[in-house]
Amino acid sequence: MTTDIKAALRALHIETPSWAYGNSGTRFKVFAQRGVPRDPYEKLADAAQVHAHTGAAPTVALHIPWDKVADYGDLAAHARDLGVGIGAINSNVFQDDDYMLGSVTNPDPAVRRKALDHLLECVDIMDATGSGTLKLWFSDGTNYPGQDDIRARQDRLAEALSAVYDRLGADQRFLLEYKLFEPAFYTTDVPDWGTAYAHCLRLGPKAQVVVDTGHHAPGVNIEFIVAFLLREGKLGGFDFNSRFYADDDLMVGAADPFQLFRIMYEVARGGGLEAGVAFMLDQCHNIEPKIPGQIRSVMNVQEATAKALLVDRDALAAAQAGGDVLGANAVLMDAYNTDVRPLLAEMREEAGLAPDPMAAYAKSGYFEKIAAERVGGTQAGWGA
Amino acid sequence: MTTDIKAALRALHIETPSWAYGNSGTRFKVFAQRGVPRDPYEKLADAAQVHAHTGAAPTVALHIPWDKVADYGDLAAHARDLGVGIGAINSNVFQDDDYMLGSVTNPDPAVRRKALDHLLECVDIMDATGSGTLKLWFSDGTNYPGQDDIRARQDRLAEALSAVYDRLGADQRFLLEYKLFEPAFYTTDVPDWGTAYAHCLRLGPKAQVVVDTGHHAPGVNIEFIVAFLLREGKLGGFDFNSRFYADDDLMVGAADPFQLFRIMYEVARGGGLEAGVAFMLDQCHNIEPKIPGQIRSVMNVQEATAKALLVDRDALAAAQAGGDVLGANAVLMDAYNTDVRPLLAEMREEAGLAPDPMAAYAKSGYFEKIAAERVGGTQAGWGA
Amino acid sequence: MTTDIKAALRALHIETPSWAYGNSGTRFKVFAQRGVPRDPYEKLADAAQVHAHTGAAPTVALHIPWDKVADYGDLAAHARDLGVGIGAINSNVFQDDDYMLGSVTNPDPAVRRKALDHLLECVDIMDATGSGTLKLWFSDGTNYPGQDDIRARQDRLAEALSAVYDRLGADQRFLLEYKLFEPAFYTTDVPDWGTAYAHCLRLGPKAQVVVDTGHHAPGVNIEFIVAFLLREGKLGGFDFNSRFYADDDLMVGAADPFQLFRIMYEVARGGGLEAGVAFMLDQCHNIEPKIPGQIRSVMNVQEATAKALLVDRDALAAAQAGGDVLGANAVLMDAYNTDVRPLLAEMREEAGLAPDPMAAYAKSGYFEKIAAERVGGTQAGWGA
Amino acid sequence: MTTDIKAALRALHIETPSWAYGNSGTRFKVFAQRGVPRDPYEKLADAAQVHAHTGAAPTVALHIPWDKVADYGDLAAHARDLGVGIGAINSNVFQDDDYMLGSVTNPDPAVRRKALDHLLECVDIMDATGSGTLKLWFSDGTNYPGQDDIRARQDRLAEALSAVYDRLGADQRFLLEYKLFEPAFYTTDVPDWGTAYAHCLRLGPKAQVVVDTGHHAPGVNIEFIVAFLLREGKLGGFDFNSRFYADDDLMVGAADPFQLFRIMYEVARGGGLEAGVAFMLDQCHNIEPKIPGQIRSVMNVQEATAKALLVDRDALAAAQAGGDVLGANAVLMDAYNTDVRPLLAEMREEAGLAPDPMAAYAKSGYFEKIAAERVGGTQAGWGA
């Protein structure tokens, strides 16, 4: 059994986002950190460090226009040289003054056109980089009751999604992200999985839902959604992070490691480890160093997955079938309570890596190097 | 315009539930009240009072087995004599010891069969009473992680729903209710509108979603769901009530009258006043007298609807199209801030009713009569 | 260090509540279970089983009037014979029809007097049983805005608390419980720790706050409250349980084991393990067997406490002082991720107990015995 | 009675914050608007417009260092010339890189000293401007469990508050603000009213709590807190705004006008209209024009207060004393359902103002003027 678990863990790839290496913050303050990248090339270099020490983060998501470059082929080659690849392309239709009242759902058709053009441009970049996945998140919504027509905005959204869908190539898909609120504070045009699902269902198999673990109302059971979407064949991927309150964007597993375990259990149980589900991080390291923050997050997903794989499914099924509430729960908890860190350390050593990626990175001198080298220029951040 | 509004308000029928006239409470205590009905006939008599004073509550929902009678034809005739009709049939697969671990999703096939038989029996009662609507609420879920297989429970649910769907007659439909939690405290098998929607969509046009206004996570925008389901042709009806916290089942409009107005605005805007949407109350009058509680609730829905109809849609559309955030919001708020009680009083007088239903009921002596007559026997409650 | 940890764990006593052994449920249904006690004597016998197998639950809380007996001296002697003692006395001013609109805050002075008399009677029972702790929970509140005067209710509450305080003996204290909502659905008269704290502060050292882990709004940081109350010398005890949604009353640690660990860490860090803080369970085993439910809960508190004691405080303090966000978090997580079950098994064997209390209880035949013997009579439940 | 109501409404002054006239936004984007002030003098000019059209906003709160000027006497004189005065001084210890891990609670004593110096400087500015109120909000907290010592941070907080308290002059006070979360995402050092209350109580009468209506967990009953703090003599003021989700900072009354009414009812009932409670706005007009946003907000507070004053207190007290749940609620709702806009329009005309401040401002040409004049320079925003 350990052999199977190890094989499954080896196959688990976690994509890190280029923007995690730049500065981030809240509306109150973005704290600048030393050594932060100034351009997409430096971001990829940092992402490569995460892969070098974990062996589990072989791709990097790009965000357009933050990662706009003159030559995407050159960027992809640079990534390859660093030992990583280009992952999902993330569109951005929320940081232009024109989008104050929405992008693809804006009441103004000219703004909608501009937003759609950007989305289509992202597919061009997919073609140029070989990326197979477009991630669509819309900040669109309203702040005040009456501000706009809720239903008409759905019509506009459907129209834009349809145009993007039609533009996708044979091996390309888009993932539609939902989010309860923020930055819109009254309605959001894709507020929940049901809305994303309904749009994707209408469009076809190349449209799938992405679950950002921080985008739900308090109390919502995320693993239920995961299980349901897998059953429907509509779970496209995850944006992993964690939260105590709203969309806090803390390191995945930091706020509720048991929840992450339950999610990964449903992923495993529903075949999600073998079904092309994209496991991506989407976090803000506002006060912690960025590269170690990503390394720790990759490790957290690995540990949760290892525990999920340790669940004795036969024993569980027997207890469930027998209506043994405490017994079934105990089977799950036995796996959760197991310390899987030795197993993962062993696997890393088998792969020629240091057993503790955090310590290995700290010792590597990489941070001291970038802190010394990356002086001057404009640090990357959410806006750049 | 007032003519149109009055016509729309006259067409607005609000169904009251037979169980609202019995005792209810929390897990801590059910407080007994005087004059409470002892059987379905007395419940109908009380419901008829609500219609007599409001002119807007012409049908009564039944709950099986609480309202089981030997002769449903006789019960329907009794209702007719009282001036009301039989509305939706509500199934109950949560109050038998067999359902401790679920009804149609129970791991035990014998329990599932028993539950399904009850649902099919409810369709028989629809045939017998002429009811066109079956309301399905499942308390099914789990309390502990691992307790049962989340996904297998969806398979079982789908199987049961399909069997019920196939049994429906040409003019019959079912409404599938969702609820975030309670009585299940870890997962609920139909926790949100997305789940109900996905099941209904697969089944066909006779399956629709019912929105209980108290069944959402904190912060969820209910009017968005209403607008979305109307756009999809899948909004079957409402279970109206209100809440500050969880599923408090207070009188509709009592906790957040502005929310009720926004919901009714989306209903009106989406054509829901003309589309067969069932407007039903589902409340618990734990500490307030039941008949006046229902009268007040009917009035609250009328007032919210009147305000929704008062919205100047042309002015709103113009402000929305122009991106005038404050102007569009002001158009909506102008309607909300209008005191519509005089309009509704006038309409009641035009219909031969007293202008103030609460005062008219209080003066009628009905309560004194039932309090004196209904002594002995077993008062109706959630369990009877 | 392990020696210290073991000593601290041996000193950790968890009080189980008599009512946990009776039937419980939700407003929808109380499912009956086999073997449930019919009287306080049988409840104590079940509680003694929990202690027999864990060695950590030496006292049992009583609930008046559910546990009313003719001779409390006899009941206390019965407990002693079973190897357990009487713990806190819990008052009940919520299950009489007179309390529909409140008990000590009721607008009717006669009801207030009745409620106060009950509270004073509970102190009499403390005298008779030797209990040093009175637990006060008030379901008092309102369901509708305007229903009663929020501020006047505080005056009435203060008056009652003062009368009870004055009646306490030299070695007696009361613990005031707060709860956000349920059964009151608009206001609760003691809704949060601040309210309980303010009342207790005014009264003096014999009045302390009890933290029920299920009684907070979503997102509230419970360990912060624990740390704060310990700093103020006002943390009297815990009612342990867990929840995903509202006051679900699941087994402690079942919903969020990491939260329980964080709470126990603050308890340990704030001196709460040596300061007379009462660690009590207050749960509802609606669908799981009751005695094993309590055993598992005791084990969960032990495991969380063991992990909390494993935190390397020197390393933590150093990382905190150095502003090392990830390092400090890692120190905490190292302890949390440790599998402490072997340590606790070892300790049990050192104490002459079976290493696995759940298995030992299952093998003991006790359940089969009570299921066979306890036939007929009225099963204990929340109402009896 | 109308005479009394008018007198009370005339006495109702609502302070607007200088920062509401600058640009604001979310972490995703700050949308620039035309005509936005470039310095404190221009902010005061805009604030004066709000007062000119409402007659109810005679003072303006300053934020240091955003409103730092060379000569505060000159700024105060400028305000006087514009017909307004200087209100509360708001400190800012969250926008310097040094505050990444906290200000007065930072583990580093040098940072704590810097933060305290800033707070004391704010008292100097109070002296210079004649302001009697210092508003203290601390973004301090932690993002990850273990990051810092929760209890030690309280000690540091208490020390700083004490130093500020001692520096206050005879006619000066400080208001301590609490906030559940954001920007800190695990713990906040003053997360709730209880924490703020406990600190203020220990310090004395010049320390009071300020209630920001957007700073609570979901479901928390704000009017209860208001009533409680008034009873304790510790309600210092309000930061008004509204929210559907987190701390959305929408216009007060926009999300839940009924809640605002209930709050103002408790203010009136508890003597808060005559007790020096500061009524302040603290909002972000991210997508709506700023000056009209403030005018509308002032009007919303006036309307809610007018309704609160219309409550028939004798009838309410009688219904409450009689336990008439529906009757008491109806008394409150009668006031809420009244359209008070005509009354307020009448009062404005009596005061020589236009009856509709929104229309009057729109016609005034002021916006066109500032949009034309304020070109170049750096627009004020949260960071400037």
Side-chain angles (χ1 to χ4, degrees):
Chain A
M1 188 179 171
T2 308
T3 318
D4 292 351
I5 292 175
K6 282 187 173 177
L9 288 171
R10 270 191 296 269
L12 178 71
H13 290 168
I14 297 144
E15 182 164 309
T16 75
S18 70
W19 56 97
Y21 303 99
N23 288 320
S24 65
T26 68
R27 60 176 169 148
F28 295 104
K29 172 72 178 167
V30 175
F31 295 105
Q33 296 193 9
R34 288 193 304 147
V36 159
R38 281 86 46 95
D39 61 43
Y41 289 80
E42 291 183 350
K43 292 182 201 173
L44 286 173
D46 289 2
Q49 285 292 307
V50 177
H51 186 50
H53 292 290
T54 63
T59 55
V60 189
L62 299 185
H63 196 113
I64 308 300
W66 299 343
D67 294 324
K68 261 196 166 165
V69 290
D71 182 342
Y72 289 100
D74 183 66
L75 189 70
H78 175 72
R80 267 195 308 278
D81 292 345
L82 291 160
V84 292
I86 301 298
I89 303 300
N90 289 255
S91 61
N92 177 324
V93 284
F94 56 89
Q95 282 199 321
D96 186 295
D97 278 326
D98 280 345
Y99 299 140
M100 188 169 83
L101 302 182
S103 63
V104 295
T105 67
N106 198 299
D108 181 344
V111 177
R112 296 204 294 274
R113 184 69 241 173
K114 171 175 174 172
L116 178 57
D117 286 344
H118 170 76
L119 302 182
L120 298 175
E121 179 198 5
C122 286
V123 187
D124 294 340
I125 295 173
M126 293 169 70
D127 292 341
T129 57
S131 169
T133 301
L134 174 65
K135 185 134 59 74
L136 299 174
W137 172 62
F138 299 102
S139 66
D140 293 52
T142 60
N143 276 7
Y144 291 101
Q147 177 187 324
D148 199 4
D149 186 320
I150 293 176
R151 181 161 168 169
R153 292 175 77 93
Q154 288 299 316
D155 296 336
R156 299 170 200 151
L157 173 65
E159 192 181 331
L161 291 176
S162 180
V164 176
Y165 192 88
D166 291 344
R167 167 69 182 79
L168 291 173
D171 295 325
Q172 293 175 335
R173 60 173 173 171
F174 74 62
L175 308 185
L176 182 55
E177 189 164 344
Y178 60 90
K179 187 176 202 284
L180 180 66
F181 77 99
E182 194 212 16
F185 291 134
Y186 166 54
T187 59
T188 295
D189 293 317
V190 190
D192 54 19
W193 77 264
T195 305
Y197 168 81
H199 280 286
C200 289
L201 192 69
R202 189 151 297 194
L203 289 169
K206 292 195 233 172
Q208 293 179 308
V209 180
V210 64
V211 174
D212 182 299
T213 46
H215 289 186
H216 305 85
V220 166
N221 186 319
I222 299 173
E223 58 267 31
F224 176 89
I225 296 171
V226 168
F228 197 92
L229 286 173
L230 277 169
R231 184 177 179 271
E232 301 284 328
K234 279 294 181 195
L235 181 66
F238 286 94
D239 267 10
F240 280 128
N241 49 59
S242 75
R243 50 72 83 93
F244 289 95
Y245 302 97
D247 185 25
D248 307 343
D249 277 330
L250 301 179
M251 297 187 302
V252 59
D256 189 346
F258 183 44
Q259 182 188 55
L260 181 60
F261 160 75
R262 299 192 311 263
I263 290 171
M264 292 313 300
Y265 173 72
E266 294 302 333
V267 168
R269 185 260 175 262
L273 292 175
E274 305 88 31
V277 173
F279 300 99
M280 302 175 283
L281 302 179
D282 186 8
Q283 306 175 163
C284 291
H285 304 303
N286 298 347
I287 63 167
E288 68 270 33
K290 283 96 169 60
I291 296 172
Q294 292 290 102
I295 292 174
R296 169 63 65 202
S297 301
V298 169
M299 294 170 70
N300 284 353
V301 176
Q302 288 182 310
E303 292 174 19
T305 308
K307 293 180 178 196
L309 291 165
L310 277 174
V311 172
D312 182 338
R313 294 229 205 137
D314 293 337
L316 184 62
Q320 289 173 340
D324 180 0
V325 175
L326 291 178
N329 176 244
V331 172
L332 203 78
M333 297 312 293
D334 273 347
Y336 178 68
N337 285 323
T338 302
D339 190 344
V340 296
R341 293 174 300 172
L343 172 71
L344 286 160
E346 181 185 306
M347 283 185 58
R348 286 186 196 107
E349 292 188 307
E350 288 168 4
L353 298 169
D356 178 350
M358 293 292 283
Y361 171 75
K363 270 200 310 207
S364 73
Y366 185 81
F367 175 69
E368 291 72 15
K369 181 168 161 289
I370 56 175
E373 287 175 6
R374 294 179 184 168
V375 175
T378 303
Q379 292 193 321
W382 274 30
Chain B
M1 186 181 171
T2 308
T3 318
D4 291 351
I5 293 175
K6 282 187 172 178
L9 288 171
R10 269 191 297 268
L12 178 70
H13 290 167
I14 298 145
E15 184 163 308
T16 76
S18 70
W19 56 97
Y21 304 100
N23 288 321
S24 65
T26 69
R27 59 175 170 149
F28 295 104
K29 173 71 178 167
V30 175
F31 296 104
Q33 296 193 8
R34 289 194 300 148
V36 159
R38 280 88 43 96
D39 61 40
Y41 289 81
E42 290 182 351
K43 292 181 200 171
L44 286 173
D46 289 2
Q49 284 291 308
V50 177
H51 186 50
H53 291 290
T54 63
T59 56
V60 188
L62 299 186
H63 197 111
I64 307 301
W66 299 344
D67 294 324
K68 260 197 168 164
V69 291
D71 183 342
Y72 288 99
D74 183 65
L75 189 71
H78 175 71
R80 269 195 307 279
D81 291 346
L82 290 161
V84 292
I86 303 297
I89 303 300
N90 288 254
S91 60
N92 177 325
V93 284
F94 56 90
Q95 283 200 321
D96 186 295
D97 277 326
D98 281 344
Y99 299 140
M100 188 170 83
L101 301 182
S103 64
V104 295
T105 68
N106 197 299
D108 180 344
V111 177
R112 296 205 294 274
R113 182 70 241 174
K114 172 175 172 170
L116 177 57
D117 286 344
H118 171 76
L119 302 183
L120 297 175
E121 179 199 5
C122 285
V123 187
D124 295 339
I125 295 172
M126 292 169 72
D127 292 341
T129 55
S131 169
T133 300
L134 174 64
K135 184 136 57 79
L136 298 174
W137 173 61
F138 299 102
S139 66
D140 294 52
T142 60
N143 276 8
Y144 290 102
Q147 178 187 324
D148 200 4
D149 187 319
I150 293 176
R151 181 160 167 171
R153 292 175 78 94
Q154 288 299 315
D155 296 336
R156 300 171 198 149
L157 173 65
E159 191 181 331
L161 290 176
S162 180
V164 175
Y165 192 87
D166 291 344
R167 167 66 183 82
L168 291 173
D171 296 326
Q172 293 175 334
R173 61 172 172 172
F174 74 63
L175 309 184
L176 181 55
E177 190 165 343
Y178 59 91
K179 187 176 201 284
L180 180 66
F181 78 100
E182 194 213 18
F185 292 133
Y186 166 55
T187 58
T188 295
D189 293 317
V190 190
D192 55 18
W193 77 264
T195 307
Y197 167 82
H199 281 285
C200 289
L201 193 68
R202 189 151 297 193
L203 289 169
K206 291 195 235 174
Q208 293 179 307
V209 181
V210 61
V211 175
D212 183 300
T213 46
H215 288 186
H216 305 84
V220 166
N221 186 319
I222 300 174
E223 58 266 31
F224 176 89
I225 296 171
V226 168
F228 196 91
L229 286 172
L230 278 169
R231 184 175 179 272
E232 301 284 326
K234 278 294 181 194
L235 181 67
F238 286 94
D239 268 11
F240 279 129
N241 49 59
S242 76
R243 50 72 82 95
F244 288 96
Y245 302 97
D247 186 25
D248 307 343
D249 277 331
L250 301 180
M251 299 187 301
V252 59
D256 189 346
F258 183 45
Q259 181 189 56
L260 181 60
F261 160 76
R262 298 193 310 263
I263 289 171
M264 293 312 302
Y265 173 72
E266 294 301 333
V267 168
R269 186 259 175 261
L273 292 175
E274 304 89 31
V277 173
F279 300 100
M280 302 175 284
L281 301 180
D282 186 9
Q283 305 175 164
C284 291
H285 304 303
N286 297 349
I287 63 167
E288 68 270 33
K290 283 94 167 64
I291 297 171
Q294 293 289 101
I295 293 174
R296 169 62 66 201
S297 301
V298 169
M299 293 170 70
N300 284 353
V301 177
Q302 290 182 308
E303 291 173 19
T305 309
K307 292 180 177 194
L309 292 165
L310 276 174
V311 172
D312 183 338
R313 294 229 205 136
D314 293 338
L316 184 62
Q320 290 173 340
D324 180 359
V325 175
L326 290 178
N329 177 245
V331 172
L332 203 79
M333 297 312 292
D334 273 347
Y336 179 68
N337 285 323
T338 302
D339 189 345
V340 295
R341 293 174 300 172
L343 171 71
L344 287 160
E346 181 185 305
M347 283 185 58
R348 288 186 194 107
E349 292 190 306
E350 288 168 4
L353 298 169
D356 179 350
M358 291 293 282
Y361 171 75
K363 269 200 311 204
S364 73
Y366 184 81
F367 175 69
E368 291 73 14
K369 181 169 159 292
I370 57 175
E373 286 177 6
R374 295 177 183 169
V375 174
T378 302
Q379 291 193 323
W382 274 29
Chain C
M1 187 181 172
T2 308
T3 318
D4 291 351
I5 293 175
K6 282 188 173 177
L9 287 171
R10 270 191 296 270
L12 179 70
H13 290 167
I14 297 144
E15 183 163 308
T16 76
S18 70
W19 56 97
Y21 303 99
N23 287 321
S24 65
T26 68
R27 59 176 171 148
F28 294 104
K29 172 71 177 167
V30 174
F31 295 104
Q33 295 193 8
R34 288 193 304 145
V36 159
R38 281 85 48 94
D39 60 42
Y41 289 81
E42 292 183 350
K43 293 182 200 171
L44 286 174
D46 289 3
Q49 285 291 308
V50 177
H51 186 50
H53 292 290
T54 61
T59 56
V60 189
L62 300 185
H63 196 112
I64 307 302
W66 298 343
D67 294 324
K68 259 196 169 166
V69 290
D71 183 342
Y72 288 99
D74 183 66
L75 189 70
H78 176 71
R80 268 194 307 277
D81 291 346
L82 291 160
V84 292
I86 302 298
I89 303 300
N90 288 256
S91 60
N92 177 324
V93 285
F94 57 88
Q95 281 199 323
D96 186 295
D97 277 326
D98 281 345
Y99 299 139
M100 188 169 85
L101 301 182
S103 64
V104 295
T105 67
N106 197 298
D108 181 343
V111 178
R112 296 204 294 272
R113 182 70 241 174
K114 172 176 172 170
L116 178 56
D117 286 344
H118 171 76
L119 302 183
L120 297 175
E121 179 199 4
C122 286
V123 186
D124 294 340
I125 295 172
M126 293 169 71
D127 292 341
T129 56
S131 168
T133 300
L134 173 66
K135 185 133 60 76
L136 299 174
W137 172 61
F138 299 102
S139 67
D140 294 53
T142 61
N143 275 7
Y144 290 102
Q147 178 188 322
D148 200 3
D149 187 321
I150 293 176
R151 180 160 167 171
R153 292 175 78 95
Q154 288 299 316
D155 296 336
R156 299 171 200 150
L157 173 65
E159 192 181 330
L161 290 176
S162 179
V164 176
Y165 192 88
D166 291 344
R167 168 66 183 81
L168 292 173
D171 296 325
Q172 294 176 334
R173 62 174 172 172
F174 74 62
L175 307 185
L176 182 56
E177 190 165 343
Y178 59 90
K179 187 178 203 282
L180 180 66
F181 77 100
E182 194 213 17
F185 291 133
Y186 166 52
T187 58
T188 296
D189 293 317
V190 189
D192 55 17
W193 77 265
T195 305
Y197 168 80
H199 280 286
C200 289
L201 192 69
R202 188 152 299 192
L203 288 169
K206 292 195 234 174
Q208 293 180 308
V209 180
V210 62
V211 174
D212 184 298
T213 45
H215 288 186
H216 305 85
V220 166
N221 186 319
I222 299 174
E223 58 266 32
F224 176 89
I225 296 172
V226 168
F228 197 92
L229 286 173
L230 277 169
R231 184 176 180 270
E232 301 284 327
K234 278 295 182 194
L235 181 66
F238 285 94
D239 268 11
F240 278 129
N241 49 59
S242 76
R243 49 72 82 93
F244 289 96
Y245 303 97
D247 185 25
D248 307 344
D249 277 330
L250 301 178
M251 297 187 303
V252 58
D256 188 346
F258 183 45
Q259 181 188 57
L260 181 60
F261 160 76
R262 299 193 310 263
I263 290 172
M264 292 314 300
Y265 173 72
E266 293 302 332
V267 168
R269 185 260 175 262
L273 292 176
E274 304 88 30
V277 173
F279 300 100
M280 303 175 283
L281 302 179
D282 185 10
Q283 304 175 163
C284 291
H285 304 303
N286 297 347
I287 63 167
E288 68 271 34
K290 283 94 166 60
I291 296 170
Q294 292 290 101
I295 292 174
R296 169 63 66 204
S297 302
V298 169
M299 293 170 70
N300 284 354
V301 177
Q302 289 181 309
E303 291 173 19
T305 308
K307 292 181 178 194
L309 291 165
L310 277 174
V311 172
D312 182 339
R313 294 230 205 136
D314 292 337
L316 184 62
Q320 290 174 339
D324 180 0
V325 175
L326 291 178
N329 177 245
V331 172
L332 203 79
M333 297 312 292
D334 273 346
Y336 179 68
N337 285 324
T338 302
D339 189 344
V340 296
R341 293 174 300 172
L343 171 71
L344 286 160
E346 180 184 306
M347 282 185 59
R348 287 187 195 106
E349 293 190 305
E350 287 167 4
L353 298 168
D356 179 349
M358 292 293 283
Y361 171 76
K363 271 201 309 208
S364 73
Y366 184 81
F367 175 69
E368 292 72 15
K369 182 169 159 288
I370 57 175
E373 286 177 4
R374 295 178 183 169
V375 174
T378 303
Q379 292 192 324
W382 275 29
Chain D
M1 187 179 170
T2 309
T3 317
D4 291 350
I5 293 175
K6 283 187 171 176
L9 288 171
R10 269 191 297 268
L12 178 71
H13 290 166
I14 298 145
E15 184 163 309
T16 75
S18 70
W19 56 97
Y21 305 99
N23 288 321
S24 65
T26 69
R27 59 176 169 148
F28 295 104
K29 172 72 177 167
V30 174
F31 295 105
Q33 295 194 8
R34 289 193 301 146
V36 159
R38 281 90 41 98
D39 61 42
Y41 289 82
E42 289 183 352
K43 293 182 200 171
L44 286 173
D46 289 2
Q49 284 292 307
V50 177
H51 185 50
H53 292 290
T54 62
T59 56
V60 188
L62 299 187
H63 196 112
I64 308 301
W66 299 343
D67 294 324
K68 260 194 168 167
V69 290
D71 182 342
Y72 288 99
D74 183 65
L75 189 70
H78 175 71
R80 267 194 309 277
D81 291 347
L82 291 160
V84 292
I86 302 298
I89 302 301
N90 289 254
S91 60
N92 178 323
V93 284
F94 56 90
Q95 283 198 321
D96 186 294
D97 278 325
D98 281 344
Y99 299 139
M100 187 170 84
L101 302 182
S103 64
V104 294
T105 68
N106 198 297
D108 181 343
V111 177
R112 296 205 294 274
R113 182 70 242 174
K114 172 175 170 170
L116 177 57
D117 286 345
H118 171 75
L119 302 183
L120 298 175
E121 178 198 6
C122 286
V123 186
D124 295 340
I125 295 173
M126 293 170 71
D127 292 341
T129 57
S131 170
T133 300
L134 174 65
K135 185 134 58 77
L136 298 174
W137 172 61
F138 299 102
S139 67
D140 294 53
T142 61
N143 275 9
Y144 290 102
Q147 178 188 324
D148 199 5
D149 187 319
I150 295 177
R151 182 160 166 171
R153 291 174 79 93
Q154 288 299 315
D155 296 337
R156 300 170 199 149
L157 173 65
E159 191 181 330
L161 291 176
S162 179
V164 176
Y165 192 88
D166 291 344
R167 166 67 182 80
L168 291 173
D171 295 327
Q172 292 176 335
R173 60 173 173 173
F174 74 61
L175 307 185
L176 181 56
E177 191 165 341
Y178 59 92
K179 188 174 200 284
L180 181 65
F181 77 100
E182 194 213 17
F185 291 133
Y186 166 54
T187 58
T188 296
D189 293 317
V190 189
D192 55 17
W193 77 265
T195 306
Y197 168 81
H199 280 287
C200 289
L201 193 68
R202 189 151 296 193
L203 288 168
K206 292 194 232 173
Q208 293 180 308
V209 181
V210 63
V211 174
D212 183 300
T213 46
H215 288 187
H216 305 85
V220 166
N221 185 319
I222 300 174
E223 59 266 31
F224 176 89
I225 296 171
V226 168
F228 196 92
L229 286 173
L230 278 169
R231 184 177 178 269
E232 301 284 327
K234 280 292 181 195
L235 181 66
F238 285 94
D239 266 10
F240 279 128
N241 49 61
S242 76
R243 50 74 79 95
F244 288 96
Y245 303 96
D247 185 25
D248 306 343
D249 277 331
L250 301 179
M251 297 188 302
V252 60
D256 189 345
F258 183 44
Q259 181 188 57
L260 181 60
F261 161 75
R262 298 193 311 264
I263 290 171
M264 293 312 300
Y265 173 72
E266 293 301 334
V267 168
R269 185 261 175 261
L273 291 175
E274 305 88 30
V277 173
F279 300 101
M280 302 174 284
L281 302 179
D282 185 10
Q283 306 175 162
C284 290
H285 303 303
N286 298 348
I287 63 167
E288 68 270 33
K290 284 95 167 61
I291 296 171
Q294 293 289 100
I295 293 173
R296 170 60 69 200
S297 302
V298 169
M299 293 171 71
N300 283 355
V301 177
Q302 289 183 307
E303 291 173 20
T305 308
K307 291 180 178 196
L309 292 165
L310 275 175
V311 173
D312 183 338
R313 294 230 204 134
D314 293 337
L316 183 62
Q320 290 173 340
D324 181 0
V325 174
L326 290 178
N329 177 244
V331 172
L332 203 78
M333 297 311 293
D334 273 347
Y336 179 68
N337 286 323
T338 301
D339 190 343
V340 295
R341 294 174 299 174
L343 172 71
L344 286 160
E346 181 185 306
M347 282 185 59
R348 287 185 195 107
E349 292 189 304
E350 288 167 4
L353 298 168
D356 179 349
M358 293 291 283
Y361 171 75
K363 270 200 311 206
S364 73
Y366 185 82
F367 175 70
E368 291 73 14
K369 183 170 158 288
I370 57 176
E373 287 177 4
R374 296 178 182 169
V375 174
T378 303
Q379 291 192 324
W382 274 29

